[in-house]
Amino acid sequence: QILGQRTQLEDLRSYDKELYQNVLSIKHYDQGDVRDLGLFFAVEDDIFGKHVVNELLPGGEDIEVTNENRNLYVHLLANWHLHKQLSRSHNAFISGLSQVISPSWLGVFNPKEVNELLSGGQLDIDVDDLRSNTKYTGGYGESSATIKTFWRVMKGLNAEGRRAVVKFVTSCSRPPLLGFSNLNPPFTIQKVSCESSLLSSIGLGKDVDRLPTAATCFNTLKLPNFKRASTMREKLLYAAKSGGGFELS
């Protein structure tokens, strides 16, 4: 939109993957008549507890979605989510951007390049910088065996895996512009004591079976006292890529 380009249905994927899949399922519905889904040309929303109905067409609240008009419905629905719903925030952003540079200057870039200019690229995580600016609580310290294992695991992950872990803890996959010393609150690892076999550290017993959790508002990773690096890597990546946080256990 910043570049003045028309958005397509495919653009909905980057906005909301689940919504995109739901819209595609309507477009390609082959289990009978779409009318059976009970859809209308309107979008219901809840704004601070107030029920609001947004019509996609005049009188859309009374127009059923059928096999004949579902393509129109899909495109109007995508347009509402990508344009009309975001119009106020989009206009405010453009207004602010115009005070810094002329939006027309961005015309020499493609959408991906504009996104990187405005939001930053997908940089790798500097593990050494992260480690030197990490705090420990709950019984962990720099010399704790679990902490040493954690940093070995982080070093061994690929760039995508490291970004996933940092996003899991801080809600942002990018490092702070001036390094992790400027992260506030600081990246923190809290000990979660769990029972495990005494022989688990040498691979002969069962390791901790609990997943790490995170408190993103405090940039805190709640890390169980895993004994094996392989277990920690598996559990850490599973938790990081699940999209969960407090609710994981």
Side-chain angles (χ1 to χ4, degrees), residues 15-224:
Y15 172 70
D16 187 325
K17 288 184 178 180
E18 184 177 355
L19 175 62
Y20 173 74
Q21 292 298 330
N22 290 339
V23 170
L24 279 189
S25 67
I26 297 171
K27 183 177 181 180
H28 302 297
Y29 185 75
D30 59 0
Q31 305 300 313
D33 196 324
V34 177
R35 194 190 304 268
D36 298 336
L37 299 178
L39 299 172
F40 293 83
F41 277 76
V43 179
E44 296 184 0
D45 205 354
D46 186 287
I47 302 178
F48 300 110
K50 182 180 179 181
H51 182 70
V52 178
V53 177
N54 303 278
E55 295 186 329
L56 303 177
L57 286 174
E61 196 173 3
D62 299 315
I63 302 175
E64 281 190 294
V65 178
T66 65
N67 287 345
E68 290 71 30
N69 63 21
R70 62 177 166 182
N71 284 336
L72 175 61
Y73 171 78
V74 163
H75 288 287
L76 289 175
L77 184 63
N79 180 69
W80 188 84
H81 283 287
L82 294 173
H83 289 279
K84 295 184 178 180
Q85 187 184 38
L86 302 175
S87 60
R88 291 184 63 183
S89 56
H90 172 262
N91 293 337
F93 178 80
I94 291 297
S95 176
L97 180 65
S98 300
Q99 297 178 32
V100 181
I101 63 170
S102 171
S104 62
W105 293 358
L106 298 176
V108 298
F109 302 104
N110 62 39
K112 181 179 179 181
E113 291 169 337
V114 170
N115 182 60
E116 291 194 0
L117 283 170
L118 297 178
S119 305
Q122 290 294 335
L123 301 176
D124 196 0
I125 301 299
D126 186 337
V127 177
D128 292 329
D129 178 43
L130 177 60
R131 182 173 186 172
S132 64
N133 291 287
T134 293
K135 306 296 182 182
Y136 305 99
T137 184
Y140 278 150
E142 181 70 29
S143 61
S144 300
T146 302
I147 295 301
K148 290 180 178 179
T149 301
F150 173 79
W151 293 119
R152 287 201 306 272
V153 168
M154 284 292 287
K155 282 277 191 179
L157 296 177
N158 58 24
E160 180 185 359
R162 285 190 285 268
R163 285 195 296 267
V165 172
V166 170
K167 182 177 181 180
F168 176 63
V169 181
T170 68
S171 78
C172 181
S173 61
R174 299 183 179 94
L177 185 61
L178 299 177
F180 282 99
S181 62
N182 289 273
L183 183 65
N184 186 28
F187 193 94
T188 302
I189 302 178
Q190 178 180 327
K191 184 175 183 178
V192 177
S193 297
C194 301
E195 294 184 0
S196 62
S197 169
L198 295 176
L199 300 177
S200 60
S201 59
I202 57 175
L204 298 179
K206 185 177 181 181
D207 201 355
V208 175
D209 195 37
R210 184 170 179 176
L211 291 172
T213 58
T216 54
C217 49
F218 300 111
N219 295 331
T220 297
L221 172 64
K222 299 180 180 182
L223 186 68

Side-chain angles (χ1 to χ4, degrees), residues 5-16 20 78 82-83 111:
Q5 299 178 4
R6 294 186 61 183
T7 54
Q8 306 292 329
L9 176 60
E10 187 66 23
D11 295 320
L12 199 59
R13 183 202 299 267
S14 60
Y15 172 70
D16 187 325
Y20 173 74
L82 294 173
H83 289 279

